[in-house]
Amino acid sequence: MNLKEYNKEMLTREMFQPLDKSEQNSEFIAMETKSFARDAWIRFKRNKLALLGLIFLGIVVVLAIFVPIFSPYTYEQMDMTALNANPSLAHPMGTDRFGRDILVRVMYGARISLSVGFSSAAISLCIGIMYGGIAGYVGGKTDMLMMRIVDIIYSIPSMLYVILVMLIFGSNIWSILIGICISSWIGMARLVRAQVMSLKEQEFALAAYVLGASTKRILFKHLIINCIGPIIVNLTLMVPSAIFTEAFLSFVGIGISAPAASWGTLANEARGLVETYPIQIIWPVAAICLTMLSLNFIGDGVGEALDPKKK
Amino acid sequence: MERSKEKGMAVTMNPESTNLLEVKHLTTEFETEQGTVKAVRDVSFTVKKGEILGIVGESGSGKSQAMYSVMGLLARNGVVKEGSMLFDGHDISPLSFEGGLKAYDKYMQGVRGNTLSMIFQDPMSFLNPVLNIETQLVEPMLNHMKISRKEAREKAIELLRQVGIPSPETRLRQYPHEFSGGMRQRIIIAIALACNPKLIIADEPTTALDVTIQAKILQLIKDMQRKSGSSVMLITHDLGVVANMCSRIVIMYGGKIVEVGTADEIFFQPHHPYTSGLLACVNNPEEEDKELQPIPGSPPDLLKPPAGCPFVDRCSCAMRICKDYMPEMTELSPTHRCACWLEQKKEVLA
Amino acid sequence: MNEGPILKVSHLKTYFGSKGGLFSKGKVVKAVNDVSFEILHNETFGLVGESGCGKSTLGRTIVKINEPTSGSIEFEGRDIVKMKGAELKAFRRDLQMIFQDPYASLNSRMTVGEIIREPMEIHGLYNSTKERDQKVSELLETVGLKPDHIRRYPHEFSGGQRQRICIARTLALNPKFIICDEPISALDVSIQAQIINLLQRIQKERQISYLFIAHDLGIVKHISHRIGVMYLGSLVEVGESNSLYREPMHPYTKALLSAIPIPDPRVERSKAAVEISGELPSPLDLPSGCAFRTRCPFASERCAKETPQLRQVGDRQVACFLYEK
């Protein structure tokens, strides 16, 4: 209770003088002003697992950028004096059967895996928002047509696209990226369409329309920005699934080809030596697992931070 | 949140009392991300047997949260911090309940829908859309009363007839979506009446309805109250609604009770500046057009309510003392009480 | 002052198609069914009716959110139904709308400053951001808020404050005509009066005409010069507000009036209720003839066969056979 105690004797004439108007603050707002992003960040920080995930991912990104630059070895440089070496100061993760430094190869693999994950998410985001936004806002026959096209694309398994593209353009990172992107934007497009459809009937969107705002302005400044929450949540799920697809393809041998290294190829190469040198398979598998785990924690944290009611 | 048992107020048991519900020093708080919201602050009131008590307040005045505290239906982040509640001679305060919180929850489940029933603002959220009306009417009767299914069904038909639903035998088999808004609210009233409750708490029962329907529902609540002799607590933001319905009226503002009195006292001799301000800013279409006198500003933010009177920032007669000290309830007549420093002004200035 | 009405609506119909299922035929909801009225310069025209009577659809048709099925809407002598492109954009500056729900009508991702600045940006008013910000502060003060609220987000405000932000946003364009779609029904009583007084003050200062849509006849009577009563898509009575309130003619207006709760126990106790039976029929299935006949205590056979038209009776227009010889 913040009530001050008083007794009858305390009451003075002075206290019963009219209160100055300037002391009345009738439009008082106690709440601190916070932008949406700041508010979400504060909530995100409270989720310790998600924060841990973010820190881990940050470290992986930094290492992936700098280790290959500063390391004395390249990913394909063989050291015939140290085949299948155990971890040491010269090779912190040891070497593989050709004497290549595993640390550099894992970090090089991180470059490939993370860039596939993030670029495919970014591309899907752009296509999905445009496509879904237009279909949802215009509605009617346009929407019908656009959604049927989506259904047709979706009716073929996504793995098939990747394999087909790789058959045509060869197995490199670009064809994997294109293959993944052919179908991965569809989820985003459907999500954005559904959100836009329900938001466009809301009064703030109608108000913008009545004010004379152009379709572009209503779509981007009013509708898309208000479904940013679900979009980001969807995005955090898209990154790991793309990384997984790439790792899977490389592991079964139709992804990135040697001597280039991705986590999938590394695991595949170490597979043969799993009984004699198990340490070699642990590194890439650990990298995949921990990255997936942190991405999922981040996804959870972002979901909670953006939609505090859903728990 | 500490729920110490000693904190509860001493309760005087008086079986002869005419009070059905006695609430003393109720304080309810909510933990939110922005901080603690002091929704109800030291609220005391009574409901007498067989009366309709109106609780009037704007959104954020704490009127609904005070009622949810009484019914034990607070949201998860809400806690009764202080106070005692006595319903029909039984202590129903979660702070001092014998046997702790679990026993309290169990006891309240037996009370709600039985001797204490509720009518909510939105009938659709209260009715289960996949069950027919018969199930929803008969189940609570079977749970709370010792009667057979057949008797319960007969009683349900009788109740529907009483609340003005034509051909109740066939309507009983229908589902909530087959009824209009007004009809649904009638069904809610029938469910509320099913177990012969002693107290019905109606939270904005007509706000979601059209005016022509509202008038009928209010009349129905009034008739049913007269017939059954139970007490009704009518929570509303509309002074027009309580004018004809209630014998006594409680005015709440900023989580506190500012004035209590009979309908005539509140409408014709309002003492608290908020009450008179509320009356002045309601347009009475019976009178010739004059400019409305609005209360300036917005209701207090209950994250940081004023230290003194909650109305101080919007009051036209605010004094220096109002800013720092909360005025006590002053008795103006046996039925009329008001919490305002203006009542003490004459005394001090004399 | 210009001669003639600022807004003239004639024989306006707005129908919504309801898609048929596999075995049922599609039905048509006649939300606005042949409505004609005029609003003069600097006048407030009140439109009352229960929910579902089409009053909001009528307002939304005038600002071109909904397409009319037929009929014409003339604003200052120009037909706006066919307007497009630059002409439409220019027309938007003159005719604005305030919405019902102050919680839904502000974009929660924009600050108050951005919200009020937006209409100026859209229409290229004022030259620099600085000038616009200056104007935003002025507008905030006009509606009784503080200039330092400019950086706050809508969810930090109370309902009444938000509705005032909405008003400031429409005023940024200096419109000649504002449609108020139930602007106070979501607000607290003490705040309602603030908004009403604010609207009246603005009208006096800026010579604005209002179409004031509400379900509460008491408030509408207070703010309006003339009132139109709507029932299931049609106007049933139009008249000068005080006279319509004192002597309602159409049976529906009578029932609506008797249902208003009056904040005065003496009046309430002595009030004789005009009973209307039943509830609103589905707009999918309008009764033949007069739409109100299913609930009207005076309904006759003729009401089922013919549809009464609005015609002049004394000082007002009524659509009821009771007032015909």
Side-chain angles (χ1 to χ4, degrees):
Chain A
M1 289 263 103
N2 51 5
L3 295 185
K4 289 189 200 165
E5 295 297 321
Y6 66 91
N7 50 36
K8 275 261 153 84
E9 288 77 54
M10 265 173 63
L11 302 180
T12 58
R13 284 167 158 271
E14 162 70 10
M15 291 167 102
F16 283 84
Q17 297 308 309
L19 187 68
D20 195 55
K21 277 272 173 283
S22 64
E23 282 189 60
Q24 286 182 312
N25 186 4
S26 58
E27 304 287 359
F28 175 68
I29 300 172
M31 199 188 278
E32 242 183 279
T33 182
K34 266 184 254 155
S35 73
F36 174 71
R38 219 178 106 71
D39 207 26
W41 173 238
I42 289 170
R43 272 197 294 266
F44 181 82
K45 272 198 299 191
R46 238 177 270 153
N47 188 333
K48 291 288 170 267
L49 275 178
L51 201 60
L52 208 68
L54 192 67
I55 292 168
F56 178 81
L57 198 69
I59 292 171
V60 171
V61 169
V62 170
L63 288 179
I65 294 171
F66 291 108
V67 166
I69 295 177
F70 292 110
S71 171
Y73 318 104
T74 64
Y75 70 95
E76 49 188 355
Q77 187 181 340
M78 298 184 219
D79 182 355
M80 288 305 173
T81 60
L83 300 180
N84 292 323
N86 277 330
S88 65
L89 268 181
H91 301 286
M93 287 184 181
T95 57
D96 66 2
R97 59 187 155 139
F98 298 116
R100 294 177 294 201
D101 184 69
I102 294 184
L103 175 68
V104 173
R105 286 179 71 76
V106 166
M107 285 310 145
Y108 199 83
R111 281 184 173 187
I112 291 181
S113 295
L114 293 180
S115 39
V116 165
F118 286 112
S119 357
S120 70
I123 295 170
S124 309
L125 177 76
C126 296
I127 304 177
I129 284 183
M130 293 299 284
Y131 199 92
I134 292 170
Y137 189 72
V138 177
K141 288 208 175 87
T142 317
D143 174 47
M144 245 289 269
L145 189 72
M146 288 176 89
M147 282 301 118
R148 290 303 80 77
I149 292 173
V150 157
D151 289 343
I152 292 166
I153 296 175
Y154 205 64
S155 64
I156 299 168
S158 54
M159 204 57 90
L160 209 60
Y161 289 117
V162 186
I163 295 168
L164 281 174
V165 171
M166 294 184 87
L167 277 178
I168 300 167
F169 297 107
S171 31
N172 54 44
I173 184 168
W174 297 109
S175 25
I176 292 192
L177 198 58
I178 295 169
I180 290 176
C181 286
I182 287 179
S183 59
S184 69
W185 60 274
I186 283 175
M188 185 64 82
R190 285 187 169 161
L191 175 96
V192 171
R193 170 183 172 265
Q195 291 281 330
V196 165
M197 277 191 123
S198 71
L199 285 175
K200 75 173 180 184
E201 296 297 324
Q202 289 217 2
E203 287 182 351
F204 72 86
L206 295 180
Y209 173 75
V210 172
L211 286 173
S214 61
T215 305
K216 199 174 108 198
R217 191 185 189 101
I218 297 175
L219 194 54
F220 289 102
K221 282 204 87 171
H222 293 281
L223 298 178
I224 303 283
I225 203 164
N226 270 288
C227 41
I228 206 91
I231 287 178
I232 291 180
V233 172
N234 193 280
L235 209 57
T236 56
L237 298 176
M238 231 142 90
V239 177
S241 95
I243 292 179
F244 229 64
T245 310
E246 184 274 326
F248 171 77
L249 288 169
S250 301
F251 183 73
V252 298
I254 51 172
I256 309 284
S257 51
S262 89
W263 290 340
T265 1
L266 289 179
N268 186 25
E269 282 170 8
R271 197 172 42 129
L273 301 167
V274 72
E275 278 171 21
T276 39
Y277 298 105
I279 190 111
Q280 287 185 17
I281 201 165
I282 288 177
W283 299 117
V285 169
I288 295 177
C289 287
L290 289 175
T291 308
M292 286 297 143
L293 214 55
S294 22
L295 279 168
N296 280 322
F297 285 150
I298 294 171
D300 263 7
V302 167
E304 257 173 45
L306 295 179
D307 190 3
K309 272 167 251 143
K310 204 169 80 188
K311 260 196 179 164
Chain B
M1 279 348 69
E2 193 194 0
R3 288 173 187 256
S4 59
K5 264 186 105 180
E6 306 80 65
K7 261 188 143 184
M9 299 281 155
V11 166
T12 45
M13 291 288 201
N14 183 4
E16 297 293 296
S17 167
T18 56
N19 291 343
L20 182 66
L21 177 70
E22 273 184 56
V23 175
K24 276 182 189 156
H25 306 296
L26 177 67
T27 299
T28 302
E29 293 182 356
F30 286 85
E31 287 301 328
T32 68
E33 291 196 358
Q34 273 81 31
T36 309
V37 175
K38 300 166 185 82
V40 182
R41 300 186 287 155
D42 196 15
V43 161
S44 307
F45 63 92
T46 56
V47 183
K48 296 197 169 69
K49 282 178 184 157
E51 79 167 343
I52 303 186
L53 177 73
I55 299 204
V56 181
E58 301 175 84
S59 56
S61 63
K63 58 186 195 301
S64 294
Q65 295 314 329
M67 295 317 109
Y68 286 133
S69 307
V70 170
M71 296 186 286
L73 287 177
L74 282 178
R76 251 212 234 134
N77 59 343
V79 169
V80 175
K81 284 276 181 170
E82 225 183 302
S84 68
M85 292 173 260
L86 201 63
F87 173 62
D88 198 22
H90 293 278
D91 181 8
I92 56 161
S93 157
L95 289 170
S96 56
F97 196 80
E98 255 176 82
L101 270 182
K102 265 199 178 149
Y104 166 77
D105 283 338
K106 203 173 168 201
Y107 180 76
M108 285 313 286
Q109 263 173 24
V111 171
R112 284 194 300 262
N114 188 7
T115 48
L116 175 68
S117 62
M118 297 146 280
I119 302 171
F120 290 104
Q121 179 174 349
D122 177 12
M124 210 45 201
S125 63
F126 184 74
L127 291 169
N128 187 336
V130 296
L131 295 179
N132 64 18
I133 299 305
E134 177 174 355
T135 324
Q136 304 195 44
L137 251 171
V138 167
E139 279 310 315
M141 285 195 255
L142 293 177
N143 286 342
H144 296 300
M145 298 194 296
K146 288 187 184 92
I147 54 173
S148 70
R149 187 166 280 273
K150 207 181 149 211
E151 282 170 323
R153 191 167 182 276
E154 271 162 24
K155 187 154 190 241
I157 291 172
E158 180 53 34
L159 276 170
L160 287 186
R161 189 170 290 131
Q162 277 178 20
V163 296
I165 291 181
S167 55
E169 289 88 348
T170 47
R171 296 295 257 174
L172 211 50
R173 296 236 166 268
Q174 290 180 326
Y175 290 83
H177 70 264
E178 296 173 74
F179 293 83
S180 65
M183 282 296 171
R184 280 183 210 140
Q185 201 57 294
R186 282 168 196 266
I187 291 165
I188 298 283
I189 294 174
I191 295 175
L193 288 168
C195 299
N196 306 320
K198 290 180 174 157
L199 178 63
I200 301 168
I201 295 180
D203 187 5
E204 306 260 6
T206 56
T207 309
L209 303 173
D210 277 317
V211 260
T212 51
I213 314 290
Q214 161 172 296
K216 285 185 200 164
I217 295 291
L218 289 177
Q219 191 58 43
L220 176 68
I221 294 178
K222 206 170 155 187
D223 291 345
M224 299 313 282
Q225 186 269 338
R226 209 172 285 154
K227 249 184 251 171
S228 64
S230 33
S231 308
V232 174
M233 250 166 83
L234 184 69
I235 303 166
T236 177
H237 67 275
D238 190 347
L239 272 170
V241 166
V242 291
N244 187 30
M245 291 280 292
C246 305
S247 42
R248 288 194 312 129
I249 295 168
V250 172
I251 309 276
M252 279 187 81
Y253 186 79
K256 287 183 161 287
I257 292 181
V258 294
E259 192 163 1
V260 183
T262 62
D264 286 353
E265 281 164 344
I266 294 287
F267 280 98
F268 303 124
Q269 299 135 26
H271 273 246
H272 199 283
Y274 175 63
T275 317
S276 27
L278 210 52
L279 285 166
C281 72
V282 177
N283 167 51
N284 184 345
E286 292 297 308
E287 290 163 15
E288 272 313 302
D289 280 340
K290 52 175 190 213
E291 207 187 335
L292 301 177
Q293 299 293 325
I295 306 174
S298 304
D301 196 326
L302 293 179
L303 272 173
K304 267 188 201 156
C309 173
F311 192 54
V312 59
D313 282 330
R314 301 172 72 190
C315 184
S316 55
C317 355
M319 298 175 294
R320 285 183 191 157
I321 189 169
C322 305
K323 208 157 173 75
D324 298 321
Y325 297 99
M326 178 64 207
E328 272 175 49
M329 276 281 178
T330 313
E331 196 156 294
L332 305 163
S333 85
T335 50
H336 195 181
R337 284 178 302 141
C338 169
C340 181
W341 282 115
L342 287 175
E343 305 304 323
Q344 266 89 6
K345 190 178 176 186
K346 271 185 212 137
E347 232 175 277
V348 175
L349 292 188
Chain C
M1 261 290 127
N2 298 1
E3 293 295 315
I6 186 165
L7 183 82
K8 188 175 174 202
V9 172
S10 12
H11 302 290
L12 188 71
K13 290 179 185 172
T14 307
Y15 295 171
F16 295 114
S18 144
K19 260 192 203 157
L22 198 54
F23 301 107
S24 61
K25 256 185 159 179
K27 276 185 175 168
V28 171
V29 178
K30 299 180 176 179
V32 177
N33 196 3
D34 200 0
V35 167
S36 308
F37 63 93
E38 290 177 356
I39 299 176
L40 306 176
H41 283 274
N42 209 6
E43 181 190 43
T44 304
F45 185 81
L47 198 59
V48 274
E50 293 174 278
S51 55
C53 73
K55 55 189 194 302
S56 286
T57 310
L58 178 58
R60 288 177 177 207
T61 309
I62 295 172
V63 293
K64 288 182 77 96
I65 292 175
N66 295 129
E67 279 294 311
T69 311
S70 70
S72 75
I73 308 165
E74 276 173 41
F75 184 76
E76 292 188 317
R78 288 171 301 155
D79 190 352
I80 62 178
V81 175
K82 292 181 196 82
M83 258 187 213
K84 271 195 186 100
E87 200 190 359
L88 177 63
K89 197 168 167 184
F91 150 78
R92 295 248 178 248
R93 283 181 60 175
D94 291 337
L95 197 151
Q96 274 304 310
M97 184 159 186
I98 298 168
F99 292 86
Q100 172 175 11
D101 184 355
Y103 293 87
S105 54
L106 297 173
N107 185 343
S108 55
R109 299 279 191 269
M110 287 161 86
T111 63
V112 170
E114 287 166 350
I115 288 170
I116 302 178
R117 214 185 305 128
E118 184 175 32
M120 304 180 204
E121 284 168 7
I122 292 171
H123 290 275
L125 306 179
Y126 312 106
N127 294 320
S128 61
T129 312
K130 212 177 149 199
E131 264 179 71
R132 283 174 188 159
D133 277 343
Q134 174 76 30
K135 189 74 193 160
V136 170
S137 307
E138 271 172 42
L139 285 167
L140 279 176
E141 267 171 282
T142 309
V143 298
L145 291 169
K146 290 182 187 158
D148 60 339
H149 286 149
I150 197 164
R151 264 177 252 293
R152 286 192 171 267
Y153 286 87
H155 70 265
E156 294 159 17
F157 293 88
S158 68
Q161 289 171 326
R162 286 187 217 202
Q163 199 57 290
R164 283 186 270 158
I165 296 169
C166 293
I167 293 174
R169 173 174 62 186
T170 54
L171 290 183
L173 291 179
N174 250 324
K176 295 177 187 160
F177 190 106
I178 300 179
I179 293 176
C180 311
D181 186 3
E182 307 227 22
I184 55 163
S185 61
L187 302 177
D188 278 318
V189 188
S190 76
I191 308 296
Q192 290 187 350
Q194 285 177 11
I195 301 293
I196 294 288
N197 280 11
L198 178 63
L199 288 173
Q200 286 185 321
R201 203 189 75 215
I202 292 168
Q203 179 167 50
K204 242 179 244 159
E205 286 169 6
R206 306 186 175 214
Q207 269 84 46
I208 296 176
S209 312
Y210 290 127
L211 172 62
F212 192 91
I213 302 169
H215 62 264
D216 181 348
L217 225 165
I219 285 289
V220 171
K221 180 226 169 199
H222 178 84
I223 193 171
S224 309
H225 303 107
R226 285 187 306 134
I227 297 178
V229 180
M230 245 181 126
Y231 185 78
L232 282 176
S234 311
L235 276 173
V236 295
E237 186 165 356
V238 180
E240 194 272 319
S241 70
N242 277 321
S243 117
L244 182 132
Y245 186 85
R246 234 174 282 121
E247 291 165 64
M249 289 171 100
H250 196 280
Y252 179 64
T253 316
K254 285 181 188 168
L256 210 54
L257 269 177
S258 80
I260 306 176
I262 308 286
D264 184 336
R266 282 176 303 202
V267 175
E268 274 289 322
R269 277 166 210 157
S270 61
K271 204 165 78 177
V274 176
E275 278 291 317
I276 55 170
S277 53
E279 295 191 16
L280 211 60
S282 159
L284 278 171
D285 235 343
L286 287 186
S288 65
C290 174
F292 187 58
R293 73 180 164 82
T294 51
R295 299 167 76 189
C296 181
F298 311 106
S300 66
E301 271 176 44
R302 188 178 171 198
C303 301
K305 284 182 202 138
E306 295 171 53
T307 309
Q309 299 298 321
L310 265 188
R311 58 188 77 226
Q312 201 72 29
V313 180
D315 65 341
R316 79 189 74 160
Q317 294 168 290
V318 189
C320 183
F321 293 128
L322 287 177
Y323 301 96
E324 263 176 52
K325 276 156 214 157

